[in-house]
Amino acid sequence: LDPHVLAADMAGSVRSGLGALVTAARSPVPTLTVLSDLRTGLPGGTDEVAGGDGAAAFVFGGHRNGAPVIAELLAHDTVSDEILDRWRLPSTSVSRVWEERFAEEIYVSLAEKALTAALDHAAVDIGSIDHFVVAGLHARACAAVRRTAGVRPEAVTPDLAGVIGNAGTAQPGLLLADVLDRARPGELIALVV
């Protein structure tokens, strides 16, 4: 398939939250989407130490029935590739992770491609972004995307990892909700997962 085809597992994977958001945004009827996660990890591992539990909920499609909206989706894009940096054996309850350095370049490249395509679809310049949200389990890749995307430094939003940890599936929703609470009318938000 074309790499821009949405590939998402709607339950049981961290990417399921993104799949739920994109699917709800495309829905012709009002749709409630809940992103939630209970993070577990190997004792003493990064997932256990840096994980956080959380949830966020969004309603899409209210504008179709005259209800007020607080944000409008201008465009989106997805780029998928197969990366084996995280896996869980069927007999275990926690996932295992390769060293972050092995997948960092792949994730950064995919994020840049998706961001560029979404901005092109919306006919928006990267300098117009008022709030730049980057979420994902790969902390090094997320930090690299925040640094290298070309977004104004003051537009880059905090990842809240020091406050709530990384809530996995819920993280993009928590960060987006935080920005929506602070954003003013007419401001442009870019979310990269």
Side-chain angles (χ1 to χ4, degrees), residues 14 17-18 21 35 58 133 135-136 168-177 191 193:
V14 173
L18 175 64
L21 286 173
L35 289 72
F58 299 90
V133 181
T169 304
Q171 192 72 7
L174 294 170
L175 298 179
L176 181 58
L191 170 64
V193 181

Side-chain angles (χ1 to χ4, degrees), residues 16-191:
S16 66
L18 175 64
L21 286 173
V22 170
T23 302
R26 292 178 177 173
S27 175
V29 297
T31 304
L32 170 67
T33 300
V34 179
L35 289 72
S36 64
D37 207 343
L38 172 66
R39 303 297 302 152
T40 59
L42 291 171
T46 303
D47 285 345
E48 181 190 50
V49 173
D53 303 335
F58 299 90
V59 174
F60 288 84
H63 65 284
R64 290 180 182 92
N65 63 8
V69 297
I70 62 168
E72 176 186 358
L73 177 65
L74 298 180
H76 68 86
D77 197 86
T78 62
V79 180
S80 300
D81 198 356
E82 186 175 352
I83 306 169
L84 183 59
D85 72 322
R86 176 177 294 274
W87 71 96
R88 183 181 61 79
L89 300 173
S91 61
T92 63
S93 61
V94 297
S95 61
R96 296 182 182 272
V97 182
W98 286 114
E99 291 182 45
E100 283 194 325
R101 63 189 168 104
F102 293 133
E104 179 178 357
E105 186 176 312
I106 297 167
Y107 280 122
V108 171
S109 173
L110 294 172
E112 289 171 353
K113 288 175 186 173
L115 177 61
T116 299
L119 292 174
D120 287 348
H121 294 319
V124 171
D125 180 75
I126 199 157
S128 304
I129 295 173
D130 297 298
H131 303 276
F132 186 55
V133 181
V134 181
L137 288 182
H138 199 289
R140 284 175 52 155
C142 289
V145 170
R146 285 185 204 95
R147 271 191 328 271
T148 64
V151 176
R152 293 176 289 114
E154 63 272 15
V156 177
T157 63
D159 66 4
L160 303 179
V163 180
I164 60 172
N166 189 319
T169 304
Q171 192 72 7
L174 294 170
L175 298 179
L176 181 58
D178 177 58
V179 167
L180 289 171
D181 282 345
R182 295 183 282 112
R184 295 187 307 267
E187 289 186 331
L188 185 63
I189 301 167
L191 170 64

